[in-house]
């Protein structure tokens, strides 16, 4: 048999296209710079030509590098440095540094997926004066290596003389940049960065996400399992007995499990094949026994075909990372069950038996004694789809054909993408030229694969029944992707009119539409609530920064879960719980523990952390999809949720905590149990890196260059959450839409009286320290503690006489206050707070209103009562906003002459103050003012001061409201 043809060897090459730079720093003494670029990759150093005397140079050069180890390309760094050429700046003695960019291998794109990216130039030191951006297009490709053909044989050829040895060539020492790059790459290799494949309780280096260092998997407790791999059998007495589809029974202690029927007949007569693994929880005494019995039975008549028995004291233990235990053939024997059979037992069975833990690579897909329903109980890892913002700029339309004989007046454009639709405003029409203009942006969320179509509809809405003037279809795959704010060209699309849209009817030209389309890769598509976001990376991979650490989560177990369903005719309660954890684009789901109120999962997972100011969400659910007859009727029930902010975790420290699981129901708040987790955040925790990280903006640059409105952002978030839920529901096993929406807080923006109260008390809590400070000052003014008031007088005199000490003293006080509160710091990351959420004080009617959907489904009198209550609350908010506006309008009235008398008094007082301050030393004025403010109550009038009375008498605009 010929071996399959091997693919030809390939050589990977990295291409760096240096396009241009913008707004560089002038360095030649003439207000310009003569810049060139040096690119360093894997000790290969190349440079571009020099762009003479310009702050916006253009090179448009292509530099090509060889990738020595393609499998380790993600570990390498590409260094791009910009210098000012000294030969064009009056004969300087050095090339001035203009900035640099460090790009990691994980940001490289494959050829065909690259895009032009403008990277901001970074400084080499804190005191460097650097500015500007450099435009680069970076991609890689693999090309086959051509083999040299062997020369034809020659009958007689002279023996050539030996060539002289080549002259010795001195190998130049690597430059400082090359040494730095090589050192960083080697250090990252030493860290053992690899790509893990998630297995329950462990990770191994195959597929999945990347981790910058090997994890120890020590956050969970090992659980002993007895593994039985049943491969196949041969020589069974099947022909004589007329047996069909044999199966295997596995008996250990008091536990019996049955395999699936034989999936294939072996080539030999009397053969069967199963290829199935069983995992029996060996730590539970009711399942553990001294022996393991394997027996083969007929699938049609339950005829005993033979069996084999193992002594568990001789079963080997497999410790990771040992290879899999090789299966062996064992002869089948008969027993008491075979005495009544008419045919003797014969044949052999191939099995392997070992003892391992949940970290075994055979565990995820095995039948487990605590998760017997394989279809919907296995642990899985899911990935959210890659989401893009689609920007549709409607510019104008021409040559529109009117519906009937009427001239179109109210023409609008409606854009549809899947379930999303948006419509422009009324056009600014020019009837003389038949041009309809809008210049309006519409935003949508698109998910990969980009195989959908954008539908553009031209509608005439001036009539009673809106008419369709034409339509155009645009494939998403044909739309250009944009990674920054550079302008893209617009296009004209011909409009077609169909009798029945979408059914293939005859179409004809009926005008054209001018639009600009682009897929925005520089934004982060929010699918979570902004306050609990777990990722801020933009869509385009080329813009990602390297990870700053690794977050490890060990899901240990739960305690005291409440019964979620009933079994045995409604006499016994049970719970089939599983855990879902979400961080970034990666979702993990543990296996489902069947019928247990205290399940133990002991599974460990890991994520890359790109920003520590993010949140990890952990949710517990009751599995209803294991019952296929009710899976479509009843969704998985939520048991509770916990969020942990990564920035609250100290570096390289393990937190093992138990968090209460609390849900808010129509009947009130209810504790469903507790979940035990272990957390560890691993990062370098260097002060310069921390300062640099916390000084960067949270969202990508495009969110600040071209911001999206709050209302539009919330609508896009709802669409993104729906796309993610639809995508994960198509997985196997599916992650239900109700699970995804609960984890993403899809209903966080809906109206809730309870949330309104919670936010109000949060504001009160934030302002509590201001109120406390005001009360403290009031106590000082009232001389409640004479000693403290005297000390405040002395401190005030020192600060007035030496004002340069004011800022250092305030800074020192803040430092001492922070150091004092260190002893009261939280010992563990906090979970959900029932009191803060106002869940324990919420009224039942308020909770019913919170869970009521849209449109309202309650009776008319109930809706009227809730509406009146909402009007009352709105009136209070309205009054508060009016009072705040009135104070600002009074301040404006001081110089606006709305009250001429008050303005004359105010500007006259300002003139007097100016004269006094010019004549009297400022220190004396400050001392007099301070001592007057701190005077004893016996010298104080109980009535409000004159200045406050004057301010309250100023006019506001409240009297002009209708």
């Amino acid at each position: 048999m010929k071996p399959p043809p091997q693919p030809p060897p390939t050589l990977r090459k990295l291409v760096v296209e240096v396009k241009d730079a913008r707004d560089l720093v002038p360095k030649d003494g003439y207000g310009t710079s003569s810049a060139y670029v040096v690119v360093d990759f894997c000790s290969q150093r190349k440079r571009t030509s020099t762009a003479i005397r310009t702050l916006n140079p253009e090179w448009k050069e292509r530099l090509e590098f060889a990738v020595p180890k393609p499998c380790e390309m993600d570990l390498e760094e590409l260094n791009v440095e910009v210098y000012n050429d000294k030969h064009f700046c009056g004969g300087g003695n050095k090339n001035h540094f203009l900035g640099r960019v460090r790009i990691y291998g994980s940001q490289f794109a494959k050829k065909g997926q690259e895009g032009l990216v403008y990277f901001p130039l970074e400084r080499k030191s804190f005191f460097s004066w650097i500015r500007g951006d450099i435009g680069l297009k970076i991609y890689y490709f693999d090309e086959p290596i051509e083999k040299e053909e062997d020369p034809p044989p020659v009958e007689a050829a002279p023996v050539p003389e030996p060539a002289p040895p080549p002259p010795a060539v001195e190998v130049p020492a690597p430059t400082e940049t090359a040494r730095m790059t090589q050192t960083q790459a080697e250090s990252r290799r030493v860290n053992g960065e690899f790509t893990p494949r998630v297995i329950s309780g462990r990770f191994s280096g195959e597929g999945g996400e990347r981790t910058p260092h090997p994890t120890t998997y020590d956050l969970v407790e090992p659980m002993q399992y007895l593994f039985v791999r049943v491969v196949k059998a041969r020589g069974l007495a099947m022909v004589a007995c007329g047996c069909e589809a044999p199966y295997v029974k596995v008996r250990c202690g008091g536990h019996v499990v049955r395999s699936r029927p034989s999936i294939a007949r072996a080539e030999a007569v009397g053969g069967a094949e199963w290829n199935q693994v069983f995992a029996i929880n060996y730590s539970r005494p009711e399942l553990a026994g001294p022996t393991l019995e394997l027996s083969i039975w007929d699938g049609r008549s339950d005829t005993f075909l033979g069996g084999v028995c193992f002594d568990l004291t001789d079963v080997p233990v497999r410790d990771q990372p040992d290879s899999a235990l090789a299966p062996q053939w064992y002869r089948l024997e008969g027993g008491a069950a075979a005495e009544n059979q008419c045919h003797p037992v014969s044949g052999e069975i191939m099995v392997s038996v070992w003892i391992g833990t949940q970290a075994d690579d055979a565990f995820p897909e095995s039948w487990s004694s605590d998760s017997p329903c394989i279809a919907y109980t296995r642990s899985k890892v899911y990935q959210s789809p890659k989401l893009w913002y689609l920007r549709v700029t409607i510019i104008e339309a021409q040559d529109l054909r009117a519906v009937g004989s009427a001239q179109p007046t109210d023409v609008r454009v409606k854009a549809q993408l899947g379930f999303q639709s948006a419509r422009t405003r009324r056009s600014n029409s020019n009837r003389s030229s038949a041009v309809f203009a809008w210049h309006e942006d519409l935003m949508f969320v698109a998910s990969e694969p980009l195989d959908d179509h954008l539908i553009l509809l031209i509608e005439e809405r001036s009539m009673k029944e809106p008419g369709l003037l034409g339509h155009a279809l645009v494939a998403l795959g044909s739309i250009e992707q944009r990674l920054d704010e550079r302008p893209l060209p617009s296009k004209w699309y011909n409009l077609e009119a169909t009798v029945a849209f979408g059914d293939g009817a005859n179409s004809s030209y009926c005008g054209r539409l001018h639009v600009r389309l682009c897929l925005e890769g520089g934004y982060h598509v929010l699918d979570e609530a902004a306050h609990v976001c777990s990722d801020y990376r933009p869509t385009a991979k080329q813009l990602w920064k390297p990870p700053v650490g690794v977050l490890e989560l060990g899901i240990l177990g739960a305690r005291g879960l409440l019964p979620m369903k009933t079994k045995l005719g409604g006499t016994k309660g049970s719970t089939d719980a599983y855990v879902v954890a979400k961080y970034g684009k990666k979702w993990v789901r543990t296996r489902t523990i069947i019928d247990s109120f205290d399940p133990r999962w002991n599974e460990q997972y890991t994520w890359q952390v790109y920003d520590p100011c993010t949140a990890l969400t952990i949710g517990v659910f009751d599995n209803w999809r294991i019952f296929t007859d009710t899976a479509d009727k009843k969704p998985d029930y939520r048991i509770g949720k916990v969020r942990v902010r990564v920035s609250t975790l100290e570096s390289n420290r393990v937190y093992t905590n138990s968090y209460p699981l609390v849900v808010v129901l129509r009947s009130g708040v209810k504790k469903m149990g507790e979940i035990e987790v272990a957390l560890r955040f691993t990062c370098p925790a260097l002060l310069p890196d921390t300062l640099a990280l916390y000084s960067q903006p949270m969202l990508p640059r495009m969110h600040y260059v071209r911001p999206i409105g709050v209302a539009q952002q919330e609508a896009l978030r709802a669409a993104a959450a729906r796309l993610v839920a639809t995508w994960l529901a198509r997985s196997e096993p599916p992650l239900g839409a109700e699970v995804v929406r609960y984890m993403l807080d899809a209903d966080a923006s809906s109206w809730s009286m309870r949330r309104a109260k919670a936010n109000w008390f949060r504001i009160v809590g934030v302002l509590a320290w201001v109120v406390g400070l005001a009360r403290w000052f009031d106590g000082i003014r009232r001389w409640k503690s004479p000693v403290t008031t005297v000390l405040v007088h002395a401190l005030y005199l020192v600060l007035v006489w030496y004002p340069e000490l004011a800022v250092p003293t305030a800074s020192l006080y803040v430092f001492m206050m922070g150091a004092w509160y260190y002893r009261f710091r939280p010992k563990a990351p906090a979970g959900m707070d029932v009191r803060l959420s106002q869940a324990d004080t919420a009224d039942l009617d308020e909770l019913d209103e919170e869970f009521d959907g849209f449109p309202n489904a309650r009776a008319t009198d109930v809706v009227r009562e809730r509406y009146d209550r909402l009007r009352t609350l709105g009136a209070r908010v309205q009054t508060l906003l009016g009072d705040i506006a009135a104070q600002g309008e009074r301040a404006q009235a001081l110089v606006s002459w709305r009250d001429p008398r008050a303005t004359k008094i105010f500007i006259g007082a300002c003139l007097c103050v100016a004269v006094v301050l010019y004549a009297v030393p400022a220190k004396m004025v400050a001392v007099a003012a301070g001592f007057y403010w701190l005077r004893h109550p016996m010298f104080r009038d109980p009535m409000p001061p004159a200045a406050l009375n004057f301010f309250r008498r100023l006019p506001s605009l409240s009297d002009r409201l209708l």
Side-chain angles (χ1 to χ4, degrees):
M1 182 176 180
K2 296 179 63 178
Q6 298 293 330
T10 59
L11 174 64
R12 176 164 294 183
K13 291 187 177 182
L14 178 68
V15 177
V16 181
E17 295 185 7
V18 185
K19 297 295 185 182
D20 57 355
R22 302 181 298 194
D23 196 21
L24 297 180
V25 175
K27 288 289 186 178
D28 59 359
Y30 303 100
T32 59
S33 292
S34 300
Y36 67 92
V37 181
V38 176
V39 183
D40 194 321
F41 179 74
C42 291
S43 300
Q44 306 171 61
R45 193 176 177 90
K46 298 183 180 181
R47 62 161 287 178
T48 65
S49 59
T50 302
I52 303 175
R53 292 183 179 175
T54 175
L55 297 181
N56 300 289
E58 294 185 2
W59 296 282
K60 297 182 179 179
E61 297 186 19
R62 185 175 185 269
L63 305 179
E64 195 171 285
F65 302 88
V67 182
K69 295 182 179 180
C71 59
E72 298 181 0
M73 185 182 67
D74 288 358
L75 307 179
E76 304 293 346
E77 291 183 2
L78 176 71
N79 289 273
V80 181
E81 297 180 345
V82 185
Y83 292 93
N84 177 49
D85 200 332
K86 64 182 180 181
H87 298 94
F88 298 93
C89 60
N93 55 359
K94 66 175 182 178
N95 296 329
H96 296 93
F97 179 75
L98 298 179
R100 68 177 179 182
V101 175
R102 289 180 295 180
I103 305 168
Y104 298 88
S106 58
Q107 299 176 257
F108 300 162
K110 194 174 183 180
K111 186 176 182 179
Q113 302 176 356
E114 72 278 4
L116 179 61
V117 183
Y118 282 88
F119 296 93
L121 294 174
E122 302 174 357
R123 60 183 65 186
K124 185 177 294 185
S125 64
F126 181 77
F127 299 100
S128 301
W129 180 34
I130 300 299
R131 73 181 186 194
D133 304 325
I134 183 170
L136 303 173
K137 185 180 289 187
I138 305 172
Y139 58 92
Y140 65 90
F141 64 92
D142 297 328
E143 63 178 9
I145 301 176
E146 297 182 359
K147 294 183 178 180
E148 298 182 358
E149 297 182 357
D150 296 334
V154 181
E155 294 181 359
V159 179
E161 297 180 0
V169 179
E170 182 180 0
V171 180
T175 61
E176 179 181 357
T177 305
R179 286 196 300 267
M180 179 184 63
T181 304
Q182 184 176 4
T183 304
Q184 292 176 350
E186 290 177 355
S187 65
R188 296 181 72 187
R189 290 193 190 96
V190 170
N191 287 338
E193 186 168 350
F194 61 97
T195 307
R197 176 170 59 91
V198 175
I199 304 178
S200 301
R202 62 156 295 176
F203 296 85
S204 64
E206 298 178 13
E209 283 196 9
R210 301 179 52 84
T211 55
H213 68 86
T215 45
T216 55
Y217 320 117
D218 56 351
L219 299 182
V220 296
E221 303 171 0
M223 302 174 64
Q224 277 198 335
Y225 284 88
L226 175 64
F227 289 91
V228 181
R229 182 186 297 275
V230 182
V231 183
K232 57 184 176 180
R234 64 185 180 187
L236 301 178
M238 298 172 57
V239 179
C241 299
C243 299
E244 294 182 1
Y247 64 89
V248 178
K249 279 186 181 180
V250 180
R251 181 188 298 272
C252 182
H255 193 80
V256 179
V257 61
R258 172 175 169 172
S259 74
R260 57 175 174 257
S262 174
I263 58 177
R265 294 290 299 271
E267 296 181 359
V269 178
E273 188 173 349
W274 295 278
N275 285 326
Q276 191 171 358
V277 181
F278 302 90
I280 301 175
N281 194 340
Y282 199 62
S283 59
R284 297 176 60 178
E286 66 271 15
L287 300 181
T291 59
L292 170 69
E293 300 178 5
L294 302 180
S295 56
I296 304 180
W297 299 77
D298 174 28
R300 184 178 62 177
S301 60
D302 285 342
T303 304
F304 177 73
L305 302 179
V308 62
C309 185
F310 295 88
D311 187 356
L312 294 184
T313 58
D314 298 332
V315 173
V317 177
R318 179 190 178 192
D319 294 324
Q320 297 293 324
D322 291 349
S323 301
L325 189 65
Q328 296 181 354
W329 288 102
Y330 295 91
R331 182 172 298 279
L332 296 175
E333 300 177 357
E339 296 178 357
N340 299 327
Q341 302 294 333
C342 57
H343 300 284
V345 173
S346 62
E348 295 177 314
I349 184 173
M350 177 182 284
V351 296
S352 59
V353 182
W354 72 94
I355 294 176
T357 64
Q358 74 274 22
D360 200 292
D361 53 11
F363 183 75
E365 300 301 330
S366 65
W367 179 96
S368 177
S369 58
D370 50 11
S371 301
C373 303
I374 297 180
Y376 295 101
T377 60
R378 301 297 89 198
S379 57
K380 295 292 181 181
V381 174
Y382 304 85
Q383 284 287 336
S384 295
K386 189 175 183 180
L387 301 178
W388 297 78
Y389 279 146
L390 172 62
R391 187 185 296 272
V392 181
T393 305
I394 309 296
I395 302 176
E396 59 180 349
Q398 296 179 357
D399 304 334
L400 297 182
R401 297 185 180 183
V403 179
S405 59
Q407 181 68 21
T409 57
D410 186 2
V411 179
R412 308 189 185 193
V413 179
K414 180 180 180 181
Q416 293 182 354
L417 179 62
F419 61 87
Q420 308 171 68
S421 65
R423 184 180 286 109
T424 63
R425 296 185 297 269
R426 184 173 180 174
S427 65
N428 299 321
S429 60
N430 188 349
R431 297 188 178 182
S432 59
S433 59
V435 176
F436 300 85
W438 292 275
H439 296 281
E440 187 174 346
D441 283 355
L442 305 178
M443 297 283 289
F444 302 93
V445 180
S447 64
E448 292 190 354
L450 302 173
D451 52 4
D452 206 348
H453 286 78
L454 173 68
I455 305 174
L456 301 174
L457 304 173
I458 309 295
E459 297 179 342
E460 165 60 43
R461 302 183 62 84
S462 60
M463 299 178 294
K464 294 183 179 180
E465 296 183 0
L468 181 64
L469 303 182
H471 76 274
L473 294 178
V474 183
L476 292 184
S478 63
I479 299 177
E480 186 174 355
Q481 300 175 0
R482 183 172 69 174
L483 308 185
D484 51 18
E485 69 276 12
R486 61 187 175 91
L488 294 180
S490 56
K491 295 181 64 176
W492 287 93
Y493 291 92
N494 292 332
L495 300 175
E496 299 179 355
T498 57
V499 178
F501 175 67
D503 60 355
N506 295 327
S507 62
S508 60
Y509 172 79
C510 61
R512 59 178 186 165
L513 182 64
H514 191 196
V515 297
R516 182 182 294 109
L517 305 175
C518 67
L519 290 167
E520 301 280 10
Y523 288 92
H524 168 68
V525 182
L526 284 171
D527 57 353
E528 304 168 285
H531 59 281
V532 292
C533 193
S534 62
D535 189 12
Y536 294 105
R537 288 176 295 169
T539 300
K541 183 181 178 182
Q542 297 91 325
L543 302 178
W544 292 1
K545 298 295 184 181
V548 298
V550 172
L551 175 64
E552 297 172 83
L553 169 66
I555 305 175
L556 303 179
R559 295 181 300 181
L561 298 182
L562 298 182
M564 298 289 108
K565 57 175 71 76
T566 57
K567 293 182 178 180
L568 299 178
T571 60
K572 178 188 176 184
S574 66
T575 298
D576 309 317
Y578 66 93
V579 180
V580 175
K582 194 265 182 188
Y583 185 81
K585 299 295 182 183
K586 178 178 172 182
W587 301 65
V588 299
R589 169 181 177 158
T590 67
R591 66 189 188 279
T592 302
I593 305 298
I594 302 298
D595 195 11
S596 175
F597 299 134
D598 300 301
R600 306 300 297 177
W601 292 285
N602 285 304
E603 300 183 15
Q604 184 170 340
Y605 301 93
T606 186
W607 288 268
Q608 286 182 331
V609 177
Y610 293 85
D611 192 337
C613 301
T614 47
L616 168 70
T617 305
I618 306 170
V620 185
F621 301 88
D622 180 50
N623 197 334
W624 279 85
R625 284 182 168 82
I626 56 178
F627 308 105
T628 56
D629 53 342
T630 60
D632 297 333
K633 300 178 182 179
K634 192 163 185 178
D636 291 350
Y637 193 85
R638 59 189 185 187
I639 298 178
K641 180 170 57 178
V642 176
R643 293 195 202 95
V644 177
R645 195 165 181 84
V646 179
S647 59
T648 61
L649 305 176
E650 297 183 9
S651 301
N652 308 317
R653 176 182 174 184
V654 177
Y655 296 85
T656 303
N657 302 309
S658 179
Y659 295 97
L661 298 171
V662 181
V663 294
V664 180
L665 307 174
R666 293 179 184 269
S667 57
V669 63
K670 190 174 184 179
K671 183 179 179 181
M672 312 294 290
E674 294 182 352
I675 182 173
E676 301 175 14
V677 297
L679 293 162
R680 178 169 56 203
F681 177 45
T682 306
C683 72
L686 299 177
L687 183 59
D689 298 337
T690 304
L691 290 175
L693 179 64
Y694 273 78
S695 62
Q696 296 176 358
M698 295 187 66
L699 292 171
R701 183 173 182 269
M702 283 295 293
H703 285 270
Y704 306 97
V705 176
R706 301 192 64 178
I708 303 175
V710 177
Q712 187 179 28
Q713 183 68 72
E714 193 61 31
L716 293 174
R717 188 181 78 85
R722 183 171 175 181
L723 286 174
V724 172
T726 304
W727 175 271
L728 296 180
R730 295 200 300 261
S731 305
E732 186 62 35
L735 202 59
E738 69 282 357
V739 175
V740 177
R741 290 181 61 85
Y742 183 61
M743 297 289 291
L744 295 178
D745 274 350
D747 301 328
S749 59
S750 60
W751 165 252
S752 169
M753 182 70 73
R754 176 184 60 84
R755 292 197 189 99
K757 290 181 179 179
N759 291 331
W760 170 256
F761 284 108
R762 286 172 59 197
I763 296 175
V764 173
V766 169
L767 299 178
W769 71 272
V770 179
V771 177
L773 185 62
R775 290 177 178 175
W776 182 78
F777 274 115
D778 186 67
I780 296 297
R781 292 180 67 237
R782 295 180 181 274
W783 290 70
K784 292 183 177 180
S785 176
V787 176
T788 306
T789 305
V790 171
L791 292 177
V792 170
H793 277 77
L795 178 62
Y796 182 72
L797 278 176
V798 172
L799 294 180
V800 169
W801 230 257
Y802 303 99
E804 63 275 7
L805 298 179
V807 175
T809 303
S811 302
L812 181 61
Y813 176 75
V814 174
F815 167 77
M816 295 177 63
M817 185 172 58
W820 172 261
Y821 279 113
Y822 178 78
R823 56 186 297 188
F824 307 108
R825 70 190 187 280
K827 302 301 181 182
M832 315 301 281
D833 194 330
V834 176
R835 185 178 299 275
L836 180 66
S837 305
Q838 297 295 311
D840 54 343
T841 60
D843 187 73
L844 294 181
D845 184 63
E846 296 175 357
L847 294 175
D848 184 73
E849 179 186 14
E850 180 178 343
F851 285 93
D852 196 7
F854 291 94
N856 196 285
R858 294 295 176 264
T860 306
D861 54 346
V862 176
V863 176
R864 183 181 295 110
E865 181 182 354
R866 293 177 180 175
Y867 176 65
D868 293 339
R869 181 177 61 196
L870 185 60
R871 290 176 61 190
T872 304
L873 177 62
R876 295 177 183 174
V877 175
Q878 170 185 301
T879 304
L880 177 61
L881 294 178
D883 293 341
I884 296 175
Q887 306 308 318
E889 291 165 356
R890 289 192 178 102
Q892 293 176 350
L894 288 171
V895 292
S896 63
W897 294 89
R898 287 206 299 265
D899 187 342
R901 298 176 184 84
T903 303
K904 290 178 183 179
I905 296 174
F906 177 71
I907 62 177
C910 290
L911 178 61
C912 295
V913 170
V915 172
V916 171
L917 292 180
Y918 276 120
V920 182
K923 294 180 180 180
M924 301 301 297
V925 175
V927 169
F931 278 34
Y932 176 78
W933 185 73
L934 294 172
R935 68 191 184 278
H936 198 275
M938 69 174 60
F939 303 109
R940 189 176 295 123
D941 190 358
M943 300 302 292
L948 183 59
N949 295 332
F950 176 79
F951 184 79
R952 288 176 176 174
R953 289 178 177 273
L954 292 172
S956 66
L957 301 181
S958 302
D959 53 351
R960 301 185 184 184
L961 296 177
L962 293 176

